[in-house]
Amino acid sequence: IGDQQQARQQLNLPENVPLIGTAGGLTKMKGITDLFRAWEIIKQRDPQVHLVLAGPIEAQTPIPQGESVIYLGLLPHHQIVTLFQALDVGVLCIPDDAFGQYCFPQKAYEMLACDLPVVVANIGEMSYLFRDSPQVLFQTGNANDLASKIQQQLQSPQQQSIAVEDWATIIQRIEPMITALKF
């Protein structure tokens, strides 16, 4: 779980401003353009907010520029936890495609394990995982919806009490269904 101020110091992040962000593939294919478009709205509404990003980028989807955008580059995996501890709101962008519909919610579990308030694309497993928290689900392709949900989480953070399942638990749950299949 960790200490937010300590995490911010470790990553050399500003200590007294709201930080939103994510880690992972910062590419169009991973749905990051939703966050980039929402950022344009958020920075106008609240100039104190900073956007923190970590992960691989691509030339055709440039990250936002400006004093309030912090790109940490490619962090070692163990520092992703530190980033999640440093943020006020974690954002999970997922594309509305086959990947988005069926991807495993690993990053969601990582953010939840850090007690990080999140805003999540209303797609596939995320729709199911966060079904009891519609206030944190945003519609993909809707920058206004995402910006509003992020601001709502900044103003009145709501952590989700969702059990973080490990592989043993998941296998125990689905093994009976798999073994019941007749091939």
Side-chain angles (χ1 to χ4, degrees), residues 13-158:
L13 296 172
E15 294 184 31
N16 298 311
V17 297
L19 300 180
I20 65 168
T22 195
L26 305 174
T27 64
K28 183 177 182 180
M29 185 182 93
K30 295 288 186 131
I32 198 65
T33 52
D34 283 339
L35 178 56
F36 292 174
R37 289 183 185 126
W39 173 245
E40 295 303 315
I41 297 166
I42 292 166
K43 72 179 184 179
Q44 298 301 321
R45 291 182 185 168
D46 187 352
Q48 288 291 315
V49 178
H50 282 55
L51 175 64
V52 183
L53 304 166
I57 58 175
E58 61 187 359
Q60 61 268 36
T61 312
I63 63 172
Q65 298 298 303
E67 290 180 19
S68 54
V69 177
I70 301 165
Y71 176 58
L72 298 173
L74 301 175
L75 290 177
H77 193 263
H78 71 274
Q79 283 195 304
I80 301 299
V81 171
T82 307
L83 171 59
F84 292 161
Q85 292 168 339
L87 297 175
D88 292 294
V89 176
V91 182
L92 288 156
C93 295
I94 299 171
D96 188 3
D97 60 14
F99 168 80
Q101 291 294 328
Y102 299 104
C103 68
F104 183 78
Q106 183 64 39
K107 194 181 314 178
Y109 282 155
E110 291 169 356
M111 288 182 176
L112 291 168
C114 292
D115 290 329
L116 177 61
V118 296
V119 177
V120 183
N122 192 5
I123 296 291
E125 181 64 18
M126 297 305 169
S127 299
Y128 175 76
L129 193 62
F130 293 90
R131 66 191 175 279
D132 295 330
S133 304
Q135 72 278 8
V136 305
L137 292 168
F138 74 92
Q139 295 305 313
T140 59
N142 187 333
N144 284 315
D145 187 37
L146 176 52
S148 294
K149 300 279 171 69
I150 290 170
Q151 288 185 291
Q152 188 177 338
Q153 278 287 57
L154 283 171
Q155 291 165 2
S156 180
Q158 296 183 12

